[in-house]
Amino acid sequence: MAEEAVTSASITPLHTEDTVYSADSVEWCPVQGYQSILACGTYQLADTESSETLGAEATTDSSNDEESTIASKTRLGRLLMYKVTLHETGIVLTEVQRLDMPAILDIKWYHESIAGYPLMALVNASGQLVVYQLQHNGTVAAMTSLQIGDERLSLSLDWASERDTCGTAPLIVVSDSKGMITVCKLSASQLSIVSQWKAHSFEAWIAAFDHWNGNLVHTGGDDCMLKGWDTRVPSTQAIYTSKMHSMGVCSIQSNRCREMLLATGSYDEHILIWDSRNMHKPLSDTSVGGGVWRVKWHPTTGELLLAACMHNGFHILDCQEIKENDAQAIVASYMEHQSLAYGVDWCNRSLEKSDEASLDSSVELSQELEQAHLPHTDAADSCNPLTEKRQHSTLVASCSFYDHSMHIWNWKS
């Protein structure tokens, strides 16, 4: 990016929240009827003089001494749960719960309810995977937890697509600081390990299921490798290995709405878009001017990509048309944070004027909803790719590290 980015005129800042601890993960609940529930995870070293971040930005020279130290420091965390209410004059953010725990590295919601309740999972600095059940008042209750391994940080997680687990136990994949990948099963409200293997030489920063092939897991590590694994067979060798990123690979997401489309991001400041059937060469390569800690496809169109770019804020990429060997256009930027951009997510509801009343009522979680069991809906059913350009308004939450700040903003195309 040749010019310094500024916040786009199409973006309206709505709210800023001090999270006290450094904020690194923010996730809207995607389940219908609960889409105004927002979770934020934080990460704080007990030694306040340390300047550690979630990942060194030139991390190809990791040493064994550093690896042994990474799991020994005391890292504090806090889970913050919010309700967001939309009014004509703006939004009201209400904190409904805060839970102290080990430092949180990643949060993900399951895309449908189970027995009438949405589920949320997080991974922490104690090497744990924890699953929570969202209550109808907007708070969460711990359902089950699992120790992934000793002396390690659990770094990321992803749920398998509902289309692959319909009628069976949901699967979760976890990556960790030892370079290990772990596939877990949630059955009868208990977690168990299905498989575990060494995937990367250093930290495995990210792992994600392919939402169009439930047997495929994509992983990225501090060894600059992007890899794919078939979970049906012993994972002694990757089914593909890519070195197209020149630094550590720290973000991956499969597109739920558009078949075989995959986005990856790296400390090398590039976002690559792939056809997951051909991982030899990316479809497009976009420089975003900062290490790409998270990428998020738009949940209902799949044609926009939201990116948290560490030293260079947050950007929205237009991916409606993906032309080989061409960069994606950056259609909006949010530059109001004063520190490292780490967490970002789309709200699953579009905020057109006609939706304000229904969104407001969904936040209140009425007495009727407390008695209801939400119907099964495949996440792909909510996808509505844009056949032509049209205006729409979308709520976004973002968070940043040293300034311990979470922002909510609205983007209108």
Side-chain angles (χ1 to χ4, degrees), residues 293-305:
W293 188 252
R294 285 294 178 264
V295 288
K296 297 288 183 68
W297 290 105
H298 192 281
T300 60
T301 71
E303 296 178 348
L304 299 163
L305 186 68

Side-chain angles (χ1 to χ4, degrees), residues 153-207:
L153 281 68
S154 297
L155 296 175
S156 78
L157 74 107
D158 193 29
W159 295 85
S161 173
E162 302 76 16
R163 63 171 61 88
D164 294 310
T165 58
C166 182
T168 63
L171 297 177
I172 304 173
V173 63
V174 176
S175 69
D176 69 43
S177 60
K178 295 286 188 179
M180 303 291 289
I181 301 297
T182 306
V183 175
C184 307
K185 177 173 66 175
L186 177 63
S187 180
S189 300
Q190 296 295 319
L191 286 167
S192 60
I193 293 178
V194 176
S195 59
Q196 188 177 63
W197 67 93
K198 180 75 170 180
H200 295 274
S201 301
F202 305 114
E203 291 92 339
W205 291 120
I206 191 73

Side-chain angles (χ1 to χ4, degrees), residues 66-111:
E66 290 170 341
E67 188 174 325
S68 64
T69 302
I70 195 169
S72 63
K73 297 179 181 179
T74 301
R75 294 172 174 81
L76 307 176
R78 182 172 292 152
L79 175 64
L80 303 170
M81 299 298 301
Y82 299 97
K83 289 182 182 180
V84 178
T85 307
L86 183 68
H87 293 292
E88 291 183 0
T89 57
I91 66 167
V92 175
L93 184 73
T94 303
E95 181 183 318
V96 294
Q97 188 179 25
R98 61 171 58 193
L99 296 174
D100 290 325
M101 60 186 65
I104 298 167
L105 278 297
D106 198 14
I107 299 172
K108 293 290 191 317
W109 294 90
Y110 193 49
H111 274 69

Side-chain angles (χ1 to χ4, degrees), residues 18-19 22 336-340 400-405 407:
D18 185 349
T19 59
S22 300
E336 301 304 306
H337 286 268
Q338 303 302 311
S339 182
L340 295 174
S400 49
F401 203 70
Y402 293 123
D403 60 348
H404 40 86
S405 182
H407 293 198

Side-chain angles (χ1 to χ4, degrees), residues 165-412:
T165 58
C166 182
T168 63
L171 297 177
I172 304 173
V173 63
V174 176
S175 69
D176 69 43
S177 60
K178 295 286 188 179
M180 303 291 289
I181 301 297
T182 306
V183 175
C184 307
K185 177 173 66 175
L186 177 63
S187 180
S189 300
Q190 296 295 319
L191 286 167
S192 60
I193 293 178
V194 176
S195 59
Q196 188 177 63
W197 67 93
K198 180 75 170 180
H200 295 274
S201 301
F202 305 114
E203 291 92 339
W205 291 120
I206 191 73
F209 280 102
D210 192 297
H211 293 306
W212 298 90
N213 180 356
N215 300 312
L216 178 58
V217 169
H218 305 278
T219 67
D222 208 38
D223 53 9
C224 311
M225 302 287 189
L226 172 65
K227 297 183 178 183
W229 308 87
D230 188 337
T231 60
R232 296 169 296 183
V233 299
S235 298
T236 56
Q237 187 166 344
I239 60 174
Y240 77 80
T241 299
S242 172
K243 301 180 181 180
M244 292 299 294
H245 283 294
S246 62
M247 298 179 71
V249 180
C250 42
S251 54
I252 303 172
Q253 193 177 58
S254 174
N255 194 318
R256 289 178 172 270
C257 299
R258 299 170 68 187
E259 193 169 359
M260 306 304 175
L261 212 56
L262 185 76
T264 64
S266 166
Y267 292 127
D268 66 10
E269 305 184 353
H270 285 256
I271 292 174
L272 304 183
I273 307 297
W274 306 80
D275 182 331
S276 61
R277 296 165 296 187
N278 179 12
M279 297 299 294
H280 297 293
K281 183 181 179 182
L283 298 173
S284 72
D285 181 342
T286 306
S287 175
V288 290
V292 186
W293 188 252
R294 285 294 178 264
V295 288
K296 297 288 183 68
W297 290 105
H298 192 281
T300 60
T301 71
E303 296 178 348
L304 299 163
L305 186 68
L306 186 59
C309 301
M310 298 185 74
H311 287 289
N312 197 41
F314 302 87
H315 305 287
I316 298 173
L317 279 63
D318 183 352
C319 298
Q320 184 174 14
E321 296 182 11
I322 299 175
K323 299 178 181 179
E324 191 170 354
N325 302 320
D326 196 7
Q328 305 305 130
I330 296 175
V331 294
S333 300
Y334 185 76
M335 307 299 294
E336 301 304 306
H337 286 268
Q338 303 302 311
S339 182
L340 295 174
Y342 270 139
V344 70
D345 198 24
W346 306 95
C347 182
N348 276 44
R349 287 295 302 270
S350 176
L351 297 186
E352 304 295 347
K353 286 290 184 181
S354 60
D355 290 333
E356 292 184 1
S358 61
L359 179 60
D360 187 56
S361 63
S362 73
V363 175
E364 298 304 319
L365 298 175
S366 66
Q367 204 58 33
E368 288 83 1
L369 188 58
E370 292 187 14
Q371 307 299 325
H373 284 232
L374 296 176
H376 170 85
T377 55
D378 193 310
D381 292 343
S382 64
C383 294
N384 181 26
L386 300 174
T387 55
E388 59 184 50
K389 296 290 185 180
R390 68 167 183 259
Q391 283 197 343
H392 62 117
S393 183
T394 305
L395 200 64
V396 175
S398 55
C399 66
S400 49
F401 203 70
Y402 293 123
D403 60 348
H404 40 86
S405 182
M406 183 183 75
H407 293 198
I408 298 177
W409 39 281
N410 191 52
W411 172 63
K412 188 169 185 178

